[in-house]
């Protein structure tokens, strides 16, 4: 988790230019918003992720309402969705309370419609309700989101599967093949290939997957011992007798 936190704070893919913008006072300079937005679209195309840089965009939008771009916000939230177990999505939405009122009827703001949908997707992931996530994801209600935004976000579905993989590794030592398939929206050879990529072993005769042991899924007995001195015990007994 320490290495994951370090990568979250300072991604290895972050350039020196972005590091200077994110770490210094220039992150509040509105003239730099274009650089940060370009960096966001680079993340979308390359499957990279930099939460702090994306938060800097949202903070600039807060301070400078004329810079607000709803399409950028939607893309930031899509990237944050797959950052579980980090609270990136909540961090991003906390900066959206003071959104500017849309004054251009020719270009309606999609965020009021999409934000509840994105929040629902996030909640399903956060609660590890993966089958329900995929059902909602493939529904007609999400057609606009899929066709206008997710299609541009390279590796989005695979990133969601990695969220499920982290939950499975932390919870199970063995899991049924069919059950896992509902978690990652895969079946057949695609599912078997994905399992092999995770480094898990599949028993085809029992259709179960074995998950290697790790600190999260190991079952350990816990023995709780309390040392009560005789003097303390006598006081407790005397106090109980007085109450009676």
């Amino acid at each position: 988790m320490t290495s994951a936190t370090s990568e979250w704070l300072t991604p290895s893919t972050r350039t020196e230019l972005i590091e200077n913008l994110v770490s210094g006072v220039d992150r509040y300079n509105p003239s730099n918003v274009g650089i940060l937005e370009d960096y966001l679209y680079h993340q979308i195309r390359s499957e990279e992720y930099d939460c702090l840089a994306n938060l800097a965009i949202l903070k600039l939008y807060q301070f400078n309402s004329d810079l607000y771009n709803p399409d950028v916000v939607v893309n930031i939230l899509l990237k944050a969705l797959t950052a579980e177990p980090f609270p990136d999505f909540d961090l991003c939405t906390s900066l959206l309370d003071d959104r500017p009122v849309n004054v251009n009827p020719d270009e309606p703001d999609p965020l009021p419609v999409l934000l509840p949908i994105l929040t629902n997707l996030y909640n399903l992931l956060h609660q590890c309700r993966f089958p329900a996530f995929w059902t909602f994801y493939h529904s007609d209600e999400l057609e606009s989101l899929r066709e206008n935004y997710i299609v541009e976000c390279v590796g989005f579905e695979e990133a969601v599967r990695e969220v499920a993989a982290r939950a499975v590794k932390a919870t199970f030592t063995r899991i049924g093949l069919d059950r896992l398939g509902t978690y990652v929206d895969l079946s057949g050879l695609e599912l078997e290939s994905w399992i092999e990529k995770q480094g898990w072993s599949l028993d085809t005769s029992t259709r179960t997957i074995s998950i290697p042991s790790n600190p999260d899924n190991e079952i350990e007995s816990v023995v709780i011992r309390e040392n009560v001195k005789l003097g303390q015990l006598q006081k407790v007994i005397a106090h109980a007798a007085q109450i009676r």
Side-chain angles (χ1 to χ4, degrees):
M1 182 62 73
T2 301
S3 60
T5 302
S6 177
E7 180 67 16
W8 185 87
L9 291 171
T10 311
S12 56
T13 55
R14 182 189 290 167
T15 65
E16 183 178 356
L17 171 61
I18 300 299
E19 176 65 29
N20 292 334
L21 291 182
V22 172
S23 303
V25 295
D26 275 345
R27 61 182 167 179
Y28 299 112
N29 186 342
S31 63
N32 292 324
V33 71
I35 298 174
L36 292 171
E37 289 174 341
D38 288 343
Y39 179 47
L40 168 65
Y41 285 109
H42 169 76
Q43 296 172 50
I44 290 171
R45 294 189 299 268
S46 61
E47 298 185 61
E48 297 175 7
Y49 181 57
D50 192 334
C51 181
L52 294 184
N54 297 341
L55 288 173
I57 297 175
L58 298 178
K59 181 60 70 173
L60 283 171
Y61 287 175
Q62 261 195 338
F63 293 155
N64 308 272
S65 59
D66 57 305
L67 299 177
Y68 172 74
N69 185 331
D71 292 333
V72 169
V73 175
V74 172
N75 282 308
I76 288 175
L77 294 177
L78 282 175
K79 296 295 290 184
L81 262 178
T82 57
E84 277 286 315
F86 291 105
D88 297 25
F89 190 87
D90 287 333
L91 291 174
C92 291
T93 54
S94 69
L95 299 177
L96 301 179
D97 294 337
D98 299 320
R99 293 194 304 275
V101 178
N102 183 39
V103 296
N104 188 352
D106 296 328
E107 297 181 9
D109 185 350
L111 199 58
V113 173
L114 294 180
L115 183 56
I117 293 175
L118 290 165
T119 301
N120 193 11
L121 286 173
Y122 168 72
N123 288 334
L124 292 173
L125 279 184
H126 184 66
Q127 297 164 9
C128 295
R129 296 171 59 192
F130 303 117
F133 172 91
W134 291 112
T135 298
F136 184 48
Y137 176 77
H138 290 299
S139 67
D140 293 340
E141 187 177 353
L142 266 73
E143 181 178 3
S144 175
L145 182 65
R146 292 195 306 269
E147 294 184 354
N148 295 322
Y149 295 97
I150 294 177
V151 68
E152 302 291 339
C153 191
V154 177
F156 176 81
E157 293 182 2
E158 189 59 31
V160 172
R161 294 187 181 104
E162 287 302 313
V163 173
R166 289 193 288 270
V168 169
K169 285 188 288 187
T171 309
F172 296 92
T173 56
R174 296 173 67 84
I175 185 173
L177 182 65
D178 294 334
R179 182 177 185 179
L180 180 64
T182 65
Y183 286 7
V184 297
D185 195 38
L186 293 173
S187 60
L189 294 177
E190 284 186 325
L191 178 57
E192 293 181 16
S193 176
W194 186 85
I195 292 170
E196 183 179 358
K197 180 182 175 182
Q198 295 296 323
W200 303 343
S201 57
L202 169 63
D203 186 336
T204 54
S205 61
T206 60
R207 294 179 62 81
T208 58
I209 299 101
S210 296
I211 314 298
S213 61
N214 60 75
D216 293 319
N217 71 355
E218 288 182 340
I219 301 174
E220 296 181 356
S221 60
V222 178
V223 178
I224 300 176
R225 295 180 179 177
E226 294 186 6
N227 296 321
V228 181
K229 294 181 180 180
L230 183 58
Q232 293 176 323
L233 182 59
Q234 290 175 337
K235 291 180 180 179
V236 171
I237 295 174
H239 180 71
Q242 291 176 357
I243 295 176
R244 291 179 183 177

